[in-house]
Structure formats: C-alpha cells, structure tokens
C-alpha cells in the first residue's frame, strides 16, 4: 500500500505538529498502522498484528456491514437532530430495548467524555446537589469536569488535583484493596465506606449529587466489583438524594458475555439511574449516549436550559449504531465473548498455576486482567516485567497493553470477533516469555513445562494438552459455538438472528 510519508517522516511530523502530551502506544518504537480488519491490524510493511486491546472496534475493524450502513446514509443525508429523522428514534428504541424498562430516555453525544459530562449535568440538576463520589483509580474522561472526578488523572496534579466537591471511595478491589478475597462480605464493607463518606459530607453541609463508577474498572486494573456492592451503594446514595451513574464506556454492548451491560452482573435488582456509553457504540465512529429515567430527564428540562448537540444523534451516526447492534445479534458476538472469554480466562489461570509471577487472573467475557507480581504473598507489583512482556509481544506481532495504578496488569479487551485460536496464540506466547523471565532471574521452581511447542512460527498443541481439555469444556456454553478460526466475516460465523435481551 502506497504511503504519503515513510514511518520516520510520519513520526517527525507528529513531533512537530501534534501536542507532546498526546502519547502513542509503544513510544520507544511506535507502530504505523495503515489498515485493519477483524481482530488484525497491519503496518506499512504489511505485517499483521493480533489486536488484543482495541475495544473500540467492537465488532471487528472495518466490518463491511458497518461500512455499508455508513456510506449508504452518508450518500443520502447527514444533518443535526433538530430535524425529524427515523434513524434517531429507531436507534433510541433499539438501544433502550437492551436496558431495564425505566431507562428509557436518550441523549446522543459524540464521545464517552461528553456522555459523562452530560451525566453530571443531569445528576446535579435533578436535586440541585453538587458533590460527587468517585472510586479510587477511576477514569471517566478528559474534559475538565471529568478530570475532576478521575483520580487516575488528578492524582498526577499533586495536592491541588482533588477538588473539595469530589470524594474518593476505595475501589472495590478484592485482590489489592483494603477488603480482600478472605473478607466475609467485601461488598458490604466497601459500600459502608461510601456510606461514611456521605455522612461526613452531609455533616460538613454538602449534599451528594451522584456516585459514579465504571461497571468494571478498566484503567484502574480490570477490577470487578463484588456482587451486591452496587445495590448497597445505590441505597445509601438514593437516601442522600443522589443518583447512581454507571459508566459503561469501556465494558458495554455484550463484552461481559453473560449480559449486554456490565452493571447487570450485579443482579436483576440493581438498576442505575443514568447509564453512559461510548467507545464500542459506533465501532470506531465518534458517537456516544446517555440513557436515563424520565423523571431525571424532566428535571433537566425544567431548568429552562435546552440541550442541543450539533453532531449527536445525526442520521449517519444512528445508522452506524444500528448496524453495530445488528452485527452483535447476527454474529452472536455476546455469546462469543462469553465462550472465548471463558476459554481465555481458563488458559490464563493455568499460567497462574505454573508461573509465580502471575498473582491474579480476573475477568468476565472478553474483559480480562492478569496481575503480575514479584512476590505472591506481598503482591508486589511487577511493573517492569509487565512492560517487558508487552514489548516482547509486540515484537511477535501481538498487541497487548499494561495498565492499573502500578502499570502491572496485562489488559485484554480485544474486538469481539476474537477466537479460541487467538486466545491460544497469545497465552502460549505469554507462557514462553514468562518462562524466559523466570529462567533469567533464577525464579523457576520446577513447575511443569509448556504444553505447547513452537514449529515454523506456528503454535501447535500437543496431544491431550490443557488447551484441548479447556476447549472441550467451553466450546458450547449455553448452546453457543465459540469462534475457532480467524476466517474474517465469513458467512458461517453468523448465528441465527435474534433480538438482544437484557
């Protein structure tokens, strides 16, 4: 493919014209990506990379159905939502059908940051309260209003970073947090900390407008809240006159497999007051949404301040959003996330049994984290080792990132068309790299050797391998066949068309 600039020229122009705080992946040796398809990205030399980190290309890079819907609508009309258009109302109808009944009112915007900013406006207008409770290590966006409620960001600004109206509750992390897996009821314990914050805030004459949380923390290190935590927090927040905002920007649209939305993992008895969504909603097209109750929407309208967004909910964006929902249903990508995600998690847990550096493997569906540690008992973060792993994987044409407060969590959130073969490939490469690290450091403890061998650049499973047994056990979960191979957008990947159910 012909390129306007060489990689060196592109890098130099970026340094000259793009803000220095706009970082690139693999800064020591960045990749120039020129095209992508499915779960693969290709550089300027045609080298193919397995993408394990791109939860924006939700149904797969360059999906033909999404492209077709976009072009078809763009050829007809693209304008703002002050004109009537069927795409807007059809998409709102389809989207709200995936949510609990009371979440029925949509505001369409253009990014996860815009969605979370609007959610704060809705929450503050609802009862006139101002203060916000957020979780430690949380990230909700790059706007000033969101940096204010994102410890992941404002902790870098020193003592002046946290505003007086922001209150930080401990992240409900049962591996590294204050209440761990051996606690009899970590959900209640973490929720009680929120209750104490509310009581202290009210004692000081302030009132809580909202509690905001990612349904599962991503930048915070793939943290999965213990079941029941959100219900208990919501009870305390509602009693204080506040609302519960569930940030689904990272994990929504079927990624967790068991449900369409991450907050649904908490149980049917939990329904947030506001849900924000972004990234995967448009498969790379800039769009997002806030969904709330009619009561909150009416309170927002009562302010007299009308809300208008030039590009939010335009016909092209809504056509793309509808196409993404269609692909998720037609190809049963939610079922694939459950099946392949379980397989990936089981393969990684085998690595935990084998390698002392793997302290924890946690995840649901295609949202998985591997917590690397220097010491199993102290749980000392293995930050340098994590960075070593992701750079070595990049050399082997596999893209993975490391995140969390200590940058020691290997982070999986691939396109939803990820397959069992992809899972086997990346886990076997990690196995080889961890083995080499342990041998180099003398930390090898005589654990079993790898169950795979490498031959002519391909990973080949030995007979009766662990992955064979795991594959058999998860290959047909809930009647859903996992994607085995990489055959991009093939017809035989399509499952019978069915409506998305909550």
């Amino acid at each position: 493919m012909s390129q306007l600039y060489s990689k060196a020229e592109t890098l130099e122009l970026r340094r000259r014209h793009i803000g220095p705080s706009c970082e690139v992946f693999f800064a020591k040796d960045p990749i120039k990506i020129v095209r992508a398809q499915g779960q693969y990205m290709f550089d300027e030399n045609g080298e193919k990379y397995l993408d394990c980190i791109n939860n924006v290309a939700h149904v797969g890079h360059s999906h033909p159905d999404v492209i077709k819907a976009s072009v078809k609508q763009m050829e007809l009309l693209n304008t703002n939502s002050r004109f009537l258009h069927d795409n807007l109302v059809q998409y709102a109808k389809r989207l709200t059908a995936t949510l609990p009944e009371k979440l029925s009112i949509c505001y369409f915007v253009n990014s996860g940051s815009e969605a979370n900013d609007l959610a704060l406006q809705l929450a503050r207008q609802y009862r006139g309260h101002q203060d916000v409770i957020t979780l430690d290590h949380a990230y909700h966006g790059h706007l000033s209003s969101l940096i204010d409620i994102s410890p992941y960001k404002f902790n870098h600004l020193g003592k002046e970073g946290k505003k007086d109206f922001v209150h930080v509750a401990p992240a409900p992390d049962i591996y590294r947090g204050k209440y761990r897996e051996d606690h009899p009821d970590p959900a209640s314990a973490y929720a009680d900390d929120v209750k104490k914050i509310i009581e202290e805030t009210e004692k000081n004459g302030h009132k809580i407008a909202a509690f905001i949380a990612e349904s599962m923390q991503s930048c915070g290190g793939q943290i999965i809240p213990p079941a029941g935590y959100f219900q208990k927090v919501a009870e305390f927040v509602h009693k204080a006159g506040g609302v519960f905002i569930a940030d689904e920007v990272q994990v929504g649209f079927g990624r967790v497999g068991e449900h369409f939305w991450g907050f649904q993992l908490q149980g049917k008895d939990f329904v947030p007051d506001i849900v924000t969504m972004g990234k995967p909603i448009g498969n790379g097209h800039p769009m997002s949404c806030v969904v709330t109750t009619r009561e909150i929407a009416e309170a927002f309208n009562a302010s007299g301040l009308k809300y208008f967004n030039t590009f939010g909910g335009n016909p092209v964006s809504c056509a793309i959003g509808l196409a993404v929902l269609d692909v998720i249903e037609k190809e049963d990508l939610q079922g694939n996330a459950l099946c392949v995600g379980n397989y990936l998690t089981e393969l990684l847990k085998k690595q935990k049994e084998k390698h002392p550096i793997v302290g924890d493997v946690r995840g649901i569906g295609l949202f998985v984290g591997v917590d690397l540690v220097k010491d199993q008992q102290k749980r000392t973060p293995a930050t340098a080792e994590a960075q070593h792993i992701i750079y070595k994987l990049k050399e082997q044409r596999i893209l993975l990132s490391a995140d969390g407060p200590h940058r020691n969590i290997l982070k999986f959130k691939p396109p939803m068309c990820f397959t069992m073969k992809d899972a086997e490939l990346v886990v076997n490469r990690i196995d080889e790299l961890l083995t080499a690290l342990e041998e180099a450091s003398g930390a090898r403890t005589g654990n079993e050797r790898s169950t795979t061998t490498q031959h002519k650049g391909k990973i080949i499973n030995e007979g009766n391998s662990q992955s064979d047994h795991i594959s058999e056990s998860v290959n047909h979960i809930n009647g859903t066949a996992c994607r085995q191979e990489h055959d991009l957008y093939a017809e035989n990947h399509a499952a019978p068309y069915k409506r998305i159910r909550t």
Side-chain angles (χ1 to χ4, degrees):
M1 183 179 292
S2 177
Q3 298 299 307
L4 187 61
Y5 303 110
S6 69
K7 178 179 174 179
E9 289 170 332
T10 300
L11 189 57
E12 175 54 33
L13 285 168
R14 183 178 176 111
R15 287 170 179 158
R16 190 183 306 172
H17 298 298
I18 306 301
S21 58
C22 300
E23 294 183 337
V24 295
F25 282 130
F26 309 105
K28 295 177 184 176
D29 182 25
I31 308 168
K32 183 175 181 179
I33 296 295
V34 299
R35 67 182 183 92
Q37 187 177 21
Q39 64 272 48
Y40 297 108
M41 305 183 85
F42 300 83
D43 69 13
E44 77 279 13
N45 299 315
E47 293 286 351
K48 181 172 73 173
Y49 292 79
L50 176 62
D51 182 1
C52 301
I53 58 178
N54 206 322
N55 62 335
V56 177
H58 191 62
V59 300
H61 293 280
S62 306
H63 196 289
D65 291 5
V66 178
I67 295 169
K68 189 183 300 181
S70 172
V71 172
K72 182 179 179 181
Q73 182 56 52
M74 208 173 294
E75 288 176 339
L76 291 174
L77 171 72
N78 199 23
T79 187
N80 66 65
S81 59
R82 285 185 170 177
F83 296 99
L84 291 179
H85 197 279
D86 288 349
N87 284 8
L88 176 67
V89 294
Q90 174 68 359
Y91 186 52
K93 180 181 176 182
R94 288 277 303 277
L95 190 60
T96 55
T98 70
L99 291 157
E101 187 175 358
K102 79 169 191 175
L103 293 167
S104 60
I105 306 298
C106 298
Y107 295 88
F108 290 106
V109 286
N110 306 289
S111 70
S113 290
E114 273 194 67
N116 282 328
D117 179 77
L118 178 55
L120 290 180
Q121 292 183 53
L122 291 167
R124 284 172 168 151
Q125 179 61 33
Y126 180 53
R127 292 279 174 80
H129 300 179
Q130 292 299 313
D131 286 29
V132 177
I133 301 174
T134 188
L135 294 176
D136 201 9
H137 312 307
Y139 174 65
H140 295 289
H142 61 79
L143 300 181
S144 296
S145 63
L146 303 174
I147 292 174
D148 286 347
I149 63 167
S150 298
Y152 182 82
K153 286 290 186 181
F154 72 62
N155 282 340
H156 295 285
L157 302 176
K159 293 181 180 179
E160 304 301 317
K162 192 181 87 64
K163 302 293 193 294
D164 290 341
F165 61 82
V166 176
H167 312 278
V168 180
D173 180 355
I174 62 170
Y175 182 70
R176 292 189 174 278
K178 61 188 293 189
Y179 311 115
R180 298 188 174 184
E181 68 273 12
D182 56 352
H183 191 283
D185 188 3
S188 293
Y190 279 115
D192 284 343
D193 281 342
V194 175
K195 182 182 180 182
K196 291 172 186 174
I197 289 172
I198 293 172
E199 291 170 346
E200 187 66 25
T201 301
E202 292 178 334
K203 189 187 300 181
N204 293 329
H206 295 263
K207 293 183 178 181
I208 298 298
F211 172 92
I212 184 169
E214 299 161 86
S215 296
M216 297 188 292
Q217 276 196 343
S218 181
C219 292
Q222 313 295 87
I223 305 302
I224 303 167
Y229 172 69
F230 282 177
Q231 288 93 326
K232 292 177 172 64
V233 168
E235 180 184 345
F236 299 142
V237 171
H238 289 157
K239 188 176 179 181
V243 301
F244 192 111
I245 302 170
D247 180 343
E248 290 274 341
V249 171
Q250 293 272 5
V251 299
F253 291 87
R255 177 162 295 278
V256 299
E258 294 179 20
H259 301 282
F260 202 69
W261 302 105
F263 71 79
Q264 292 171 321
L265 292 165
Q266 292 282 310
K268 291 183 179 180
D269 59 333
F270 172 70
V271 180
D273 303 293
I274 301 173
V275 176
T276 60
M277 47 194 80
K279 294 186 187 300
I281 189 173
N283 209 54
H285 179 79
M287 61 183 295
S288 60
C289 187
V290 180
V291 185
T292 189
T293 65
R294 181 161 296 279
E295 182 182 7
I296 291 173
E298 292 292 354
F300 189 55
N301 185 55
S303 69
L305 185 67
K306 300 302 179 183
Y307 183 78
F308 171 65
N309 189 299
T310 302
F311 297 110
N314 69 71
V316 171
S317 292
C318 290
I320 289 170
L322 285 163
V324 170
L325 291 181
D326 287 343
V327 173
I328 293 171
E329 293 174 346
K330 183 173 69 175
E331 300 184 9
D332 193 20
L333 293 181
Q334 183 179 337
N336 191 65
L338 175 63
C339 190
V340 176
N342 284 351
Y343 184 54
L344 172 63
T345 300
E346 287 302 317
L347 289 175
L348 290 167
K349 285 181 177 178
K350 291 295 182 183
Q351 299 306 308
K352 182 178 184 297
E353 296 173 5
K354 183 175 178 181
H355 299 288
I357 193 173
V358 180
D360 190 35
V361 174
R362 50 185 178 264
I364 298 176
L366 285 173
F367 183 82
V368 183
V370 181
D371 197 316
L372 299 186
V373 298
K374 294 181 178 180
D375 184 282
Q376 286 273 1
Q377 297 302 315
K378 296 179 181 178
R379 303 183 179 183
T380 310
T383 301
E385 291 82 353
Q387 297 303 312
H388 173 80
I389 293 295
I390 64 170
Y391 269 90
K392 285 295 182 182
L393 286 172
K394 177 232 179 189
E395 292 175 5
Q396 298 181 40
R397 308 293 185 263
I398 296 172
L399 305 180
L400 194 64
S401 64
D403 215 332
H406 308 286
R407 304 284 182 180
N408 68 306
I409 315 295
L410 301 182
K411 185 172 170 180
F412 291 83
K413 47 186 183 69
M416 297 271 280
C417 51
F418 207 69
T419 69
M420 296 175 75
K421 291 295 183 184
D422 296 328
E424 290 171 9
L425 173 63
V426 65
V427 173
N428 277 288
R429 295 288 194 242
I430 289 172
D431 181 16
E432 294 167 2
L433 292 170
L434 293 179
T435 299
L437 269 178
E438 290 165 348
E439 289 175 347
S441 65
R444 200 76 175 137
T445 59
N447 291 312
E448 64 180 294
R449 296 177 62 189
S450 173
T451 59
T452 62
T453 57
Q454 186 172 342
H455 178 64
K456 294 183 180 180
K458 296 182 180 179
I459 294 294
I460 301 174
N461 291 321
E462 295 176 355
N464 299 318
S465 69
Q466 293 170 349
S467 59
D468 288 335
H469 292 304
I470 297 169
S471 175
E472 290 172 8
S473 67
V474 301
N475 195 21
H476 292 279
I477 296 175
N478 294 335
T480 300
C482 288
R483 290 192 175 198
Q484 302 278 341
E485 303 292 344
H486 306 138
D487 190 13
L488 295 176
Y489 307 135
E491 290 297 323
N492 62 357
H493 281 163
Y497 191 94
K498 60 182 180 182
R499 301 298 298 171
I500 294 173
R501 298 189 301 273
T502 56

